[in-house]
Amino acid sequence: MHKKLQRFISDYQPIIEDKMNHLLAATNVSDTLKSSMAYSVNAGGKRIRPLLVLATLEDLGVQSDDAVTVACAVELIHTYSLIHDDLPCMDDDDYRRGKLTNHKVYGESVAVLAGDALQTLAFEALATLQDTSAEDALQLIQLLAKASGSAGMVGGQMLDIEGESKRLSLMELENVHVNKTGALLSFSIEAGAILAGLHQQKTAKLKAFAWNIGLAFQIQDDILDITSTTEALGKPVGSDISSDKSTYPSLLGLDGAKERLAEHHRLAGEALAFLEKDQPLLGLFADYIVDRQS
Amino acid sequence: MHKKLQRFISDYQPIIEDKMNHLLAATNVSDTLKSSMAYSVNAGGKRIRPLLVLATLEDLGVQSDDAVTVACAVELIHTYSLIHDDLPCMDDDDYRRGKLTNHKVYGESVAVLAGDALQTLAFEALATLQDTSAEDALQLIQLLAKASGSAGMVGGQMLDIEGESKRLSLMELENVHVNKTGALLSFSIEAGAILAGLHQQKTAKLKAFAWNIGLAFQIQDDILDITSTTEALGKPVGSDISSDKSTYPSLLGLDGAKERLAEHHRLAGEALAFLEKDQPLLGLFADYIVDRQS
């Protein structure tokens, strides 16, 4: 990872974590519920979405006192979706990032409620910004709702479930990911643009950037699934191609997936030209997403 | 039920249902998810919360083009909470109002996602009001978040789960209900007051009204649980008193619960005096809540 990005991340990760815990500290009528919400909020994670909000503002050279709160709102949505995703009736995962999942520690009913309440908290955070106009705050809420609801993240999760047992076309696969992960990544960048008061034409460039890194993120995930399996389990590269689940490598082959990844990387970089910066943070983020090994 | 209230309900119920289906018709990337959301939205129900929003405006003599949308936002939150409440890991109910519960029709994973997306839709609806100032819309979002999240409805559900296996004091029992059902009923009435531009002193009166009918609603529920059981199953009146679950009759006896119900009814009526109306709709609602037999 580029040193400039590394410094940015290590500067801001603790600020994001502090703010999330501050938001959690508000009134909660049940200690168990509060503890369950805090458990998942503090379960680690790269904080990519909140960092993208802050990196966008940094690249645009604008400061906003509300930036960290908005960044945390996206992460709260992401966190709630992970809790519900891990439930026995969904992916049925016992561990996430080496820690027991929420329902394994608190039980399923508490995990459902903790996810529900974290979603609510995200919208509450956006409704109580201090230094943003009411119009901008409403636009942020509207966009976050679209990005995270049935026309975005939750809709994408549903498509993912529906697609598990059938072979998807490339377009269908892209539709899953654009919604399931892309919508929230795009929101993060658009939210930064709104807080910076960026005009529409340039926001469109940032949206193109977001769209491309969203897909790049997923393609690299799919590639790592194969390459890390190869190293760790000694299974031949490409073993997923014959399995039921549609992935970029299963549809395009590993080389085809890598080509597509490179193309999204290139387009993401091009979209940032308007910044007229040598090393925009967002560009370094794109490099990191493409080059990461885990 | 009083004829005036009956007319009001039959006038507005179809308008509320239409609007909710209109909100659902917006973009949704999965037909199954959309169908699951629509199933629960159209599964009947008295629509008490949205009707309270509209009745408050009617009693205040104010019209608002956004009233029905705000009313639907509360009902969407109520609907999502019922879907999640019915899940096997929660109350594990197969039927609600004589219809199969959401997860019995669509499966658990879809039901979790449908609930999640309905919550999001509620906030999206409030973020896209047409005739309300951005400041008022933000206040509505803030209040709905507080009323429905960990400091309100979801927190109350958690307290309810925690209280299942122990004997609660009257104050603890009240705390469950004030949060679990009271917070959203109060929001409905406060939302009407905000849309009507009511000044704070009078809003406080309406909040007192809401607090009292919220508790009256729950006490009558507890009483009906006993009296309907008596008629239907031939169990002796008061059989719940010896059971584990704390209810108003189990703590106060049936007569004590009825006295408390009457007191809340009286206080609710008093709080409406400022309206200087012969038969305010809200008063008729209070009568209905206390007198209802189901």
Side-chain angles (χ1 to χ4, degrees), chain B residues 64 73 89 152 173 217 234 260 277 282:
Chain B
S64 158
C89 68
L173 181 67
F217 188 89
R260 205 168 175 93
K277 279 201 163 185
L282 291 175

Side-chain angles (χ1 to χ4, degrees), chain A residues 86-189:
Chain A
D86 288 335
L87 287 170
C89 68
M90 306 282 280
D91 289 349
D92 194 13
D93 283 318
D94 291 354
Y95 288 92
R96 177 176 287 276
R97 300 188 197 105
K99 289 185 72 172
L100 284 170
T101 46
N102 197 296
H103 66 272
K104 293 303 283 184
V105 178
Y106 293 91
E108 278 184 64
S109 56
V110 182
V112 169
L113 293 176
D116 289 345
L118 285 170
Q119 174 174 189
T120 321
L121 189 59
F123 288 108
E124 188 175 351
L126 293 184
T128 49
L129 296 176
Q130 297 300 310
D131 300 293
T132 302
S133 72
E135 286 75 13
D136 281 354
L138 272 186
Q139 204 195 340
L140 288 168
I141 293 168
Q142 203 182 116
L143 288 173
L144 183 62
K146 272 199 201 310
S148 63
S150 60
M153 181 187 75
V154 173
Q157 287 170 311
M158 187 68 220
L159 292 180
D160 200 23
I161 292 172
E162 292 177 296
E164 264 166 15
S165 47
K166 60 181 178 192
R167 187 173 171 83
L168 303 178
S169 70
L170 190 61
M171 210 183 255
E172 287 170 329
L173 182 67
E174 200 163 279
N175 196 30
V176 170
H177 296 310
V178 162
N179 287 291
K180 191 182 174 186
T181 53
L184 217 51
L185 291 169
S186 286
F187 170 81
S188 304
I189 290 164

Side-chain angles (χ1 to χ4, degrees), chain B:
Chain B
M1 191 189 294
H2 194 282
K3 270 194 181 156
K4 184 180 166 186
L5 180 60
Q6 206 156 27
R7 202 173 322 118
F8 178 78
I9 291 177
S10 55
D11 280 354
Y12 279 104
Q13 257 175 356
I15 295 172
I16 292 164
E17 321 246 323
D18 271 7
K19 184 71 184 184
M20 285 212 288
N21 281 291
H22 180 79
L23 291 170
L24 277 176
T27 342
N28 188 322
V29 298
S30 157
D31 289 341
T32 309
L33 182 62
K34 189 175 194 159
S35 156
S36 164
M37 291 164 77
Y39 177 80
S40 288
V41 160
N42 293 307
K46 304 190 195 82
R47 314 297 186 195
I48 286 182
R49 291 154 194 81
L51 287 166
L52 281 173
V53 177
L54 302 173
T56 304
L57 278 160
E58 182 94 4
D59 277 348
L60 294 169
V62 178
Q63 298 234 331
S64 158
D65 286 348
D66 285 328
V68 176
T69 307
V70 174
C72 289
V74 198
E75 189 71 359
L76 290 171
I77 292 283
H78 178 58
T79 306
Y80 113 69
S81 78
L82 297 182
I83 297 176
H84 284 186
D85 256 5
D86 288 336
L87 287 170
C89 68
M90 306 282 279
D91 289 350
D92 194 13
D93 282 318
D94 291 354
Y95 288 91
R96 178 175 287 275
R97 301 188 196 105
K99 289 184 72 171
L100 284 170
T101 46
N102 196 296
H103 66 273
K104 293 303 284 183
V105 178
Y106 292 92
E108 277 185 64
S109 56
V110 182
V112 169
L113 294 176
D116 289 344
L118 285 170
Q119 174 174 189
T120 322
L121 188 60
F123 288 107
E124 188 175 351
L126 293 184
T128 48
L129 296 176
Q130 298 299 311
D131 300 293
T132 302
S133 72
E135 287 75 14
D136 281 355
L138 272 186
Q139 204 195 341
L140 289 169
I141 292 168
Q142 204 183 115
L143 288 173
L144 183 61
K146 271 199 201 310
S148 63
S150 60
M153 180 187 76
V154 173
Q157 287 170 313
M158 186 68 219
L159 292 179
D160 199 23
I161 292 172
E162 293 179 295
E164 264 167 15
S165 48
K166 59 183 178 191
R167 187 172 171 83
L168 302 179
S169 70
L170 190 60
M171 210 182 257
E172 288 171 328
L173 181 67
E174 200 162 280
N175 196 29
V176 171
H177 296 309
V178 161
N179 286 291
K180 190 181 174 186
T181 52
L184 217 51
L185 292 169
S186 285
F187 169 81
S188 305
I189 290 163
E190 213 176 336
I194 289 170
L195 288 173
L198 197 68
H199 73 66
Q200 243 173 342
Q201 205 183 347
K202 288 179 177 173
T203 303
K205 300 269 183 201
L206 283 179
K207 280 186 187 174
F209 169 80
W211 196 83
N212 280 293
I213 63 157
L215 287 172
F217 188 89
Q218 189 56 50
I219 298 173
Q220 179 65 357
D221 249 17
D222 284 356
I223 292 173
L224 286 173
D225 258 5
I226 292 176
T227 53
S228 75
T229 301
T230 305
E231 288 159 24
L233 304 180
K235 285 204 291 185
V237 168
S239 66
D240 276 358
I241 295 174
S242 57
S243 85
D244 266 355
K245 190 163 166 80
S246 302
T247 66
Y248 283 91
S250 79
L251 293 182
L252 301 173
L254 190 57
D255 285 345
K258 284 182 177 172
E259 271 168 39
R260 205 168 175 93
L261 174 66
E263 180 67 3
H264 284 302
H265 190 193
R266 193 182 63 76
L267 290 170
E270 275 185 19
L272 295 179
F274 81 95
L275 289 171
E276 296 177 2
K277 279 201 163 185
D278 235 12
Q279 285 183 325
L281 271 170
L282 291 175
L284 299 178
F285 253 111
D287 298 345
Y288 161 67
I289 283 170
V290 169
D291 297 333
R292 77 203 151 94
Q293 293 307 312
S294 69

Side-chain angles (χ1 to χ4, degrees), chain A residues 169-277:
Chain A
S169 70
L170 190 61
M171 210 183 255
E172 287 170 329
L173 182 67
E174 200 163 279
N175 196 30
V176 170
H177 296 310
V178 162
N179 287 291
K180 191 182 174 186
T181 53
L184 217 51
L185 291 169
S186 286
F187 170 81
S188 304
I189 290 164
E190 212 176 339
I194 289 170
L195 288 173
L198 196 69
H199 73 64
Q200 242 173 343
Q201 206 183 346
K202 290 179 177 175
T203 303
K205 300 269 183 199
L206 283 179
K207 280 186 187 174
F209 169 79
W211 196 82
N212 280 292
I213 63 157
L215 287 172
F217 188 90
Q218 188 56 49
I219 297 173
Q220 178 65 355
D221 248 17
D222 284 357
I223 291 173
L224 286 174
D225 258 5
I226 291 175
T227 54
S228 75
T229 301
T230 304
E231 289 159 25
L233 303 180
K235 285 204 292 186
V237 168
S239 67
D240 275 359
I241 294 173
S242 57
S243 85
D244 265 356
K245 190 164 166 78
S246 302
T247 65
Y248 282 90
S250 79
L251 293 182
L252 301 172
L254 190 58
D255 285 345
K258 284 181 178 172
E259 272 169 38
R260 205 169 176 92
L261 174 67
E263 180 68 3
H264 283 303
H265 190 193
R266 193 182 63 73
L267 291 170
E270 275 184 18
L272 295 180
F274 82 95
L275 289 171
E276 296 179 1
K277 280 201 163 186

